[in-house]
């Protein structure tokens, strides 16, 4: 691909794709491009590891499932920065967060400077169209999750008449990508759902009263904020940021909730070992995932939202609207862009309308902490033609939740059948 689409004959970069062939070649519809989110999550890994289990037999039978590491990610000319371990040490050192942001940005510029201006979602969408053409498809059939929904909107905006069947699961609103106050409120709402579901199932290790349990969680975060919690010899102490981020990640998947309940109950009683095992920092050590995430995210923010002053204001707002966790959630992400060395893309903060594109399917869980349903409803209004279906569930991602959610998406991608307006699942 061209590094810079403004100079298509200039320097090139390589993009990596893979394909899971349709199981029923006689009834094959074509290629279905996928993006699992992030930004920074590998589309190759999604097709290698997740798609064979997550996607229905019908969808895998009728489509070649195509994975793509977007530019700057994974095996596609990845953005590289300082290691995650070094960044974590800087963050734990008590250094001024502006200085930490500056040091991280300088490391990315040193290792990947030529890439950084060109890894935005606008260019990733152009890459999708080159891939569409390379696959011999007149239209792009596409299934995007989380950040992949933003990528899909960018594609539909730039290439509306080349959109085929596009399903966007767990919808990002491009006008509020940095609204961590709304995201923190959604997280705290989902946390309440988690606590209540534990109580409703009986024998909840955290307690029997929702309000009391939420107060204890707040007290636990406050203790970790003043002094990291001891997690035994096998794990590092649990800071408030690790505690909050760990709970946030657990809200993505309801199947982690029983283990989270036991870990928090231990923390209430002063036993941090189970908490340490549950919340220990993970991720790759070469900085590829976090570097790609920040490199793409920062370009999506409006220039006025990327200053240290704007970051401090956004963190304060998140703390006011979501007092338990807002500050930690916002600070963990927003500081990364405070000193980013490359400018925002021209479309940053703008709504996508995709005038001229066919109807696009939007799907979202009602209690999704990462992509609140309010964002999906906003995007339904912003796009020229869109239909939204919801599911009464916590957790992130609509499609994997159960038979109703899979049927809604499969009916559209396989048969072109849109759900009824205000379709609601209860998976």
């Amino acid at each position: 691909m061209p590094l810079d689409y403004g100079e298509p004959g200039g320097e090139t970069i390589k993009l990596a794709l893979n394909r899971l062939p349709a199981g029923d070649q006689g009834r094959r519809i074509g290629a279905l491009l996928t993006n699992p989110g992030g930004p920074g999550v590998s589309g190759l890994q999604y097709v290698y590891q997740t798609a064979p289990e997550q996607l229905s037999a019908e969808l895998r039978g009728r489509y070649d499932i195509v994975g793509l590491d977007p530019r700057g990610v994974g095996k596609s000319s990845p953005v590289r920065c300082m290691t995650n371990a070094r960044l974590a040490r800087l963050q734990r050192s008590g250094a001024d967060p502006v200085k930490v942001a500056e040091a991280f940005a300088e490391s990315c510029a040193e290792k990947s400077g030529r890439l950084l201006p060109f890894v935005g979602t606008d260019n990733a969408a152009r890459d999708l169209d080159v891939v569409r053409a390379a696959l011999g498809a007149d239209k792009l059939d596409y299934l995007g999750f989380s950040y992949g929904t933003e990528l899909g909107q960018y594609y539909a905006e730039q290439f509306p008449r080349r959109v085929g069947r596009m399903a966007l699961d767990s919808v990002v609103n491009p006008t509020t990508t940095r609204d961590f106050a709304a995201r923190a409120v959604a997280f705290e709402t989902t946390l309440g759902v988690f606590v209540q579901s534990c109580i409703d199932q009986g024998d909840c290790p955290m307690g029997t009263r929702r309000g009391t349990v939420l107060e204890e969680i707040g007290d636990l975060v406050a203790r970790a904020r003043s002094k990291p919690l001891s997690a035994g010899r096998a794990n590092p102490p649990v800071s408030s940021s690790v505690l909050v981020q760990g709970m946030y990640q657990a809200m993505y998947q309801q199947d982690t909730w029983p283990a989270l309940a036991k870990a928090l109950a231990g923390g209430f009683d002063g036993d941090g070992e189970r908490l340490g095992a549950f919340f220990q920092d993970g991720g790759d050590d070469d900085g590829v995932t976090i570097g790609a995430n920040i490199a793409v995210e920062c370009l999506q923010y409006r220039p006025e939202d990327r200053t240290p002053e704007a970051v401090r204001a956004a963190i304060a707002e998140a703390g006011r609207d979501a007092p338990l966790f807002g500050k930690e959630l916002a600070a963990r992400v927003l500081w990364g862009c405070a000193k980013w060395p490359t400018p925002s893309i021209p479309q940053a903060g703008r709504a996508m309308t995709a005038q001229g594109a066919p109807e696009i399917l939007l799907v979202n869980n009602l209690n999704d902490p990462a992509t609140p349903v309010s964002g999906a409803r906003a995007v339904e209004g912003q796009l020229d033609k869109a239909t939204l279906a919801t599911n009464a569930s916590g957790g992130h991602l609509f499609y994997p939740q159960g038979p109703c959610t899979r049927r809604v998406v499969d009916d559209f991608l396989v048969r072109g059948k849109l759900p009824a307006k205000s379709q609601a699942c209860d998976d």
Side-chain angles (χ1 to χ4, degrees), residues 152-387:
Q153 291 172 67
Y154 269 73
Y155 182 87
E157 180 79 357
Q158 294 181 65
F159 307 101
R161 303 199 182 280
R162 294 179 192 161
V163 174
R165 295 173 184 174
M166 178 174 286
L168 306 181
D169 182 334
S170 306
V171 183
V172 173
N173 179 0
T175 69
T176 58
T177 53
R178 64 169 293 281
D179 188 354
F180 275 81
R183 195 179 298 185
V185 168
F187 168 70
E188 291 194 6
T189 301
T190 304
L191 189 75
V193 174
F194 151 69
V195 171
Q196 190 62 51
S197 70
C198 181
I199 292 168
D200 290 345
Q201 290 168 13
D203 297 323
C204 179
M206 297 184 294
T208 59
R209 295 178 62 86
R210 178 176 176 275
T212 302
V213 172
L214 288 172
E215 284 180 11
E216 290 203 68
I217 292 174
D219 291 342
L220 189 65
V221 173
R223 295 205 306 273
R225 191 176 293 133
S226 60
K227 182 181 179 181
L229 305 169
S230 174
R233 294 181 179 179
N235 300 298
V238 177
S239 67
S240 61
S241 62
V242 169
L243 181 59
V244 169
Q245 185 65 14
M247 285 190 285
Y248 179 77
Q249 293 296 334
M251 293 301 103
Y252 276 53
Q253 294 181 311
Q254 285 185 273
D255 58 7
T256 67
W257 289 7
L260 173 63
K262 291 178 181 177
L264 288 172
F268 299 164
D269 295 334
D271 178 5
E273 192 163 348
R274 186 170 279 169
L275 275 175
F278 193 90
F279 293 131
Q280 61 183 317
D281 283 329
D284 65 300
D285 191 54
D286 63 5
V288 170
T289 301
I290 192 170
N293 176 270
I294 291 178
V296 176
E297 282 280 312
C298 294
L299 302 190
Q300 308 296 103
Y301 297 164
R302 298 175 302 176
E304 61 267 31
D305 295 331
R306 288 173 42 176
T307 67
E309 295 75 21
V311 169
R312 289 191 182 94
I315 291 170
E317 180 187 10
R320 287 192 301 270
D321 290 354
L324 279 180
F325 311 113
K327 287 184 177 180
E328 276 88 357
L329 281 177
R332 191 175 179 95
V333 176
L334 291 177
W335 276 122
C337 296
K339 287 291 184 178
W340 196 247
T342 51
S344 303
I345 59 177
Q347 303 94 324
R350 281 175 37 194
M352 303 291 143
T353 61
Q355 294 284 336
E359 198 85 12
I360 294 171
L361 175 64
L362 312 176
V363 294
N364 220 94
N365 293 331
L366 292 178
N367 292 300
D368 186 327
T371 52
V373 72
S374 58
R377 289 175 175 141
V379 169
E380 184 184 25
Q382 292 161 10
L383 290 172
D384 183 36
K385 296 176 183 177
T387 296

Side-chain angles (χ1 to χ4, degrees), residues 71-92:
R71 56 173 56 212
V73 175
K75 295 186 180 298
S76 293
S77 305
V79 170
R80 296 188 182 275
C81 303
M82 68 172 62
T83 66
N84 289 352
R86 184 184 168 204
L87 177 60
R89 285 196 299 271
L90 282 174
Q91 290 170 332
R92 287 195 297 262

Side-chain angles (χ1 to χ4, degrees), residues 53-73:
E53 298 296 327
Q54 185 186 83
L55 301 183
S56 70
E58 181 179 37
L59 200 60
R60 289 183 284 108
R62 301 297 299 278
Y63 278 102
D64 293 344
I65 309 300
V66 177
L68 166 68
D69 280 359
R71 56 173 56 212
V73 175

